[in-house]
Amino acid sequence: MSRLVKKSPSLCTDLPLGNTDICNRLHLLRQLLRSCIGPTGRLKQVHNNIGGHVITTSTSSVLLPAISSSQPFINLIKTSILNHVSRFSDCGLFASILCLSLIEQAKQSGLRGNVATSVNKHLLGLCTSYLQRQDCGCKVKLDFCSSQSLITLARSIISSKPACVLTEREALHISKLAVQAFLLTVPCNNPGIVSLGKIVTVSVEGHSVLNSAVFPGLLVDMPDVFCLNKVENLHSNPMCMVVFSASLAGDLSDLGGTIEVHPGVDTDSQILDQLLKLGEQVVKDEVKLFICQKVIHPVLQQYLRSHGIVVIERLGITLMEPLTQLTGRGLYVLNPGISVLSSFGSKTMLHLQPPGDSAICTMILCHRNETMLSELKVVCQKTEHVLRLTLREPAALLGGGCTETHLASMDKVTETVSVLGCSQTEYLRGVEGFCQSLESVAAALQHDGGNSLMDLTHAHHWSHPADVMEERMEDSSGFCGCGLVESSTNQKWTYLNTKYPQFSPAPLFRVPTVQPRVLDSFTAKLNALQVAVETANLALDVRYLIQDMN
Amino acid sequence: MEHLHLEHVLQTVCVLESVVLRSFGPEGGQVLFTRDTGQAMLSRSGSRILTALRLEHPLARMMVECVLKHSTVTGDGSKTFILLLASLLRMIQKTACKEPNVSHTYNSRETAEASTARHLADKMLAFALEELDDIIAMGVVPYGCCLSWEDFTAKTKLPACTINHCVQKLLASFFHSRLGRTHCDFISNLTCEMLTHWKFKRDLPSSSLQFVNDNFAALHTPVSGFPISCSRLIEGQVIHRDFATPCPQTDHQPVKAVVVTGCLQPKLLNAGEVLVLGCGEQGREENSRKESSIVQFTAWLQSLGASVLLSAVKQSAAVLALAAQAEMCIVECVSEDELSLFAQLIKIELFLFHRYVHVAFHDSEERVTVKPCSLVICGTGEGQTDQYACAFQDAIRMLLSTWKPIGITATTASKKTFQPDKSTCLHVDNQIVKASPFQQYVLEPGCVIPAGGTFEFLLNHALLQHGSSCSISDDTIMGVPAVSQLLANALLSVPRHIYSYSLRRFLQTQTRLLKTDVSSVQVFTSDSGLESVSCKYQLLVAVLQCVSSLLHVDTVLHTHTALHTPSHRLANISWEGTEDERNTNSILTSFW
């Protein structure tokens, strides 16, 4: 009653983007995220003040939630990007850097807020419609007849996460596994609406990454070493198994009310009798494998084992879903299956595999230590998601910064400037800011003090180590960021974020033998582009800030 | 106890104005709030901004209450409300200070001023209730046009016809003021499309709008993580729950659904009940009887061919297991709103969506005109989808009040009966009002006028003319000419803020409007959007009412009553005006 505390007044900021403190914080966030992007990105260690777990990462989905700020602007941008990442799993850093650059550029250009947002919106429209065009110069059609481009796509994602600490060979191995697992989850024998299967990931610490493997079907932990000799029984074909989702512990805990027991009534033995009746039935039905999501009463377990049945308890809800998909629908399912025992280091696992196509597979991920393993697990899940997105839109964008430079050099002349409510000069200033933001994302890929350049024929992105002199640039043979363009003597370059004459990128003559080496997800990047511009526009539109200080 | 002076009122409203101004007009933007919970909210809606301020000052709270009362009905005009309020109070103060009512004896100059101000406010309100609708009908309506329901529903079919864009334009300028310029066209097109789908052929436009307004919660699905341009309409209804049991693949075949509102398996034991376990088989029998009854029920459902069970409550694990065995899928905890909408639209045809249940409906003859559809609102974050959804619903409210006949309001209705000659010239015509200087105009439902201060400029002009045409003998500061001039001047503050970035544009627009002959008005070629005359009229009356009630308060009593003794609350103490002072523990500090 008496704890009514006098409320402290709210803190109000008029025109917050004009505030230097807020701008400095946004700039700092941009520098932080900029240093993480790409295969040579710098890692960040996140640890809290109470001595918890230390995470080493450069992934936006891990890094952004760890950044807590009292500044609502940062939270606004953070939640937008995290929402994007939760939907598309990729391009989070791209979106956040682009968004923050757009805000900075719009401020530097000195345009009125509404002009900057309408120009940004207009340019976004130009970019998205260009990216969706058939003849888009930075888009590659994915060919499902060959796994090559899928592996390239997977490897681009995996190698852009340096916290996994993978060698070239290991990265390729994991990429191949990711594609293999993805292909296993696509059911191939039923036409019409298909529902994709599931990849169950099991991580094993202390082994070489090259030991990682993918198995069709499900691998279930076998903590019970006494069962090992009975596994031979499971080789009968077909095999009967039974799956329970209800607890078989024989407790009455979840009933709700109060239970009064008359003296002389032995509830425990009555319940146990019921459980054993069930056991008898199971033995009569010649069930070989007995699985329960929750706990099984030890007496029942003993009874079942004594009859040569393999018992697995406490399977957990996460494995129940794929298991029911694997075995069919419902709980009391008797299904034929083949089982093999596989052993992974310290773990002994039962391999359940139905005879037909099941769309369920298990991915065993091995790595040397826990931190790298947890990052690898996150990366593999992201890769799976991105590969799934290709089913919706079988296309990919050129990676390595080439899409960004290509979009930046795109022709943005428009006749309908008046519709945007601004003058021609204002429009050109807005265009400049937008292009510089795109280029700065491409330039962010370079972390070792090297130069970021763009060629003036195809508008692809090139990076050169710092020690290469400008005049010798022609000699340094190499490829552009995505690996489609080879450098030649008559090429002209310009440094990124410098002025260059307007040109329209020449279409690339594609030699079928030259495949892009780096690919980005089309769906994820398109959405990231839209989210980045929309979030930047939102932030630019904020005119007043009110913070409740209670 | 604190005596209130005119300056206090003015000061309070000025602070509200300074917050609201940032999001007003074409150059306005958003206001970003962070709550004490760390939650952020972004808004351009006047009523949301004012609510989120959580004001403590009793006067400010009174103003906000007035704004909310107005905006929940019309869905629009809360920012203009504050601007007009501030401008009117300033005008009143100026007049009152210049000529405090000297005919009475007051003990101080302040009291004299307050009294003058109060009288002035009352006069203005009386004037507005008496004559404003006629003045608007004469001076503003001829420049506008009337929307008809057919125009707007035909929009998608006949895009070439310009008049059909009226509703779209009306919505576009509404969304411009609520969501900003970049998305207004997209969202207004989406709204039009949705309303076209939900059109009931034989009914009045308002019934269809009312239906969408009532069921809006069930009719939209917010999705965050996508740009707003991904928002779209999808056929059928979305039930915002996932399947509790695995859903069978239905390749667009009709399925039968059953709606249950209760628990299929009664709980063996409810909380608080006592189960006595004795010897014998009695309890077990009871339980197995209950179990066999669900088995029978599921078998019955199966015989009906039902394959979907929509349940308002959570079902027991046994029910889920039985249903899964019977290849029936269950959706649990479906909200009441959604079930009631579903009940209105029964007959399912097809199925399936990602995380939510998506139901599409079979076309039935009685419903050929209505195509059930649901709106998916995308935004980059939860705050944004929330903002879009709010704007959407307010837009529907705004359309509803645009079509609401004004004559219904009590005061004007009674006036009409006293002056029967006024009703002789009623003509109902859904075309553009034909301009003719001799024709008398009435305020019809659905009348719209170009946005961008047109209403205020025209009404300002009409009021000034009205004032000068009145008899010169009535030359006191309380007379009709003075009052109408005061109101006219106060009105101009709205366009002044709209064109705040360029005074030249303000003057240009004013002269262009006043020069144009009514007969040559080309309303529909102008690029600016449209706004509803009836909403503007209601707004003006509401503001005047607010002014008058504000000026009637002269003292604020701060009672320090403990919360747990409501009997001690001075609820029955009231003073001039009827302002019940609920702010028992308030300290007279405002938020700034």
Side-chain angles (χ1 to χ4, degrees), chain B residues 421-436:
Chain B
D421 57 300
K422 287 258 166 80
S423 56
T424 52
C425 58
L426 267 173
H427 75 290
V428 179
D429 184 0
N430 284 335
Q431 304 303 311
I432 308 173
V433 179
K434 283 169 196 71
S436 127

Side-chain angles (χ1 to χ4, degrees), chain A residues 39 90 140-144 146-161 168 171-180 182-183 379 382-384 386-387 390 395-400 480-484 510 512-522:
Chain A
D90 197 16
V140 182
K141 272 222 146 323
L142 282 182
D143 179 14
F144 284 109
S146 129
S147 58
Q148 188 52 48
S149 45
L150 286 179
I151 292 175
T152 311
L153 180 60
R155 198 175 58 170
S156 308
I157 298 162
I158 290 164
S159 58
S160 73
K161 306 288 186 286
E168 197 101 321
L172 185 63
H173 180 69
I174 294 289
S175 316
K176 282 180 178 164
L177 289 184
V179 173
Q180 189 194 347
F182 159 68
L183 292 174
V379 171
K382 285 176 177 301
T383 313
E384 181 207 347
V386 169
L387 288 171
T390 60
L397 289 174
L398 299 179
C480 69
C482 67
L484 270 189
R510 286 283 297 277
T513 50
V514 180
Q515 288 294 327
R517 291 186 213 167
V518 185
L519 286 176
D520 284 338
S521 166
F522 175 77

Side-chain angles (χ1 to χ4, degrees), chain A residues 83 87, chain B residues 220-228 230-231 240 353 356 375-382 384-386 388:
Chain A
N83 279 329
R87 300 272 173 202
Chain B
H220 82 278
T221 310
V223 180
S224 52
F226 293 94
I228 186 174
C230 290
S231 306
H240 300 99
F353 196 43
Y356 295 138
L375 178 68
V376 178
I377 300 178
C378 298
T380 52
E382 209 181 301
Q384 276 74 273
T385 51
D386 208 32
Y388 301 146

Side-chain angles (χ1 to χ4, degrees), chain A residues 66-288:
Chain A
I67 298 171
S68 61
S69 170
S70 58
Q71 185 40 249
F73 261 101
I74 290 183
N75 290 329
L76 176 80
I77 293 163
K78 201 177 90 176
T79 39
S80 268
I81 305 298
L82 284 176
N83 279 329
H84 160 80
V85 172
S86 73
R87 300 272 173 202
F88 292 93
S89 292
D90 197 16
C91 300
L93 284 175
F94 164 79
S96 35
I97 297 171
L98 180 60
C99 170
L100 290 163
S101 310
L102 280 171
I103 296 174
E104 223 162 90
Q105 290 288 346
K107 257 188 54 53
Q108 278 171 16
S109 71
L111 291 175
R112 269 183 296 146
N114 286 2
V115 172
T117 49
S118 11
V119 174
N120 281 347
K121 176 83 199 306
H122 175 75
L123 295 174
L124 174 68
L126 287 182
C127 287
T128 48
S129 56
Y130 175 70
L131 288 175
Q132 270 153 345
R133 257 166 45 188
Q134 284 293 323
D135 60 339
C136 167
C138 47
K139 192 161 80 172
V140 182
K141 272 222 146 323
L142 282 182
D143 179 14
F144 284 109
C145 296
S146 129
S147 58
Q148 188 52 48
S149 45
L150 286 179
I151 292 175
T152 311
L153 180 60
R155 198 175 58 170
S156 308
I157 298 162
I158 290 164
S159 58
S160 73
K161 306 288 186 286
C164 296
V165 200
L166 298 175
T167 62
E168 197 101 321
R169 192 161 148 243
E170 287 168 340
L172 185 63
H173 180 69
I174 294 289
S175 316
K176 282 180 178 164
L177 289 184
V179 173
Q180 189 194 347
F182 159 68
L183 292 174
L184 281 172
T185 60
V186 184
C188 30
N189 47 8
N190 38 340
I193 302 172
V194 290
S195 55
L196 294 177
K198 203 176 157 79
I199 301 177
V200 178
T201 312
V202 178
S203 36
V204 182
E205 198 186 318
H207 284 257
S208 159
V209 179
L210 293 173
N211 284 347
S212 307
V214 166
F215 296 91
L218 200 62
L219 285 170
V220 183
D221 250 333
M222 282 271 291
D224 190 359
V225 279
F226 304 112
C227 285
L228 288 179
N229 51 348
K230 289 175 203 139
V231 167
E232 290 303 306
N233 292 347
L234 297 175
H235 281 290
S236 67
N237 217 353
M239 180 201 73
C240 281
M241 65 184 277
V242 53
V243 183
F244 279 89
S245 66
S247 163
L248 295 176
D251 51 349
L252 292 166
S253 58
D254 55 349
L255 274 177
T258 329
I259 297 170
E260 266 177 26
V261 184
H262 278 211
V265 181
D266 186 1
T267 44
D268 286 350
S269 70
Q270 278 189 9
I271 291 168
L272 193 58
D273 281 349
Q274 291 288 321
L275 286 175
L276 287 175
K277 255 188 208 166
L278 174 86
E280 273 169 38
Q281 185 63 41
V282 167
V283 172
K284 219 165 86 190
D285 290 337
E286 296 183 10
V287 170
K288 294 287 171 4

Side-chain angles (χ1 to χ4, degrees), chain A residues 14 114 260 419 541 543, chain B residues 22 26-27 30 181 224 275:
Chain A
D14 197 11
N114 286 2
E260 266 177 26
V419 181
D541 206 22
R543 300 290 146 83
Chain B
R22 283 292 171 207
E27 289 298 301
Q30 316 246 8
R181 174 199 175 95
S224 52
L275 174 72

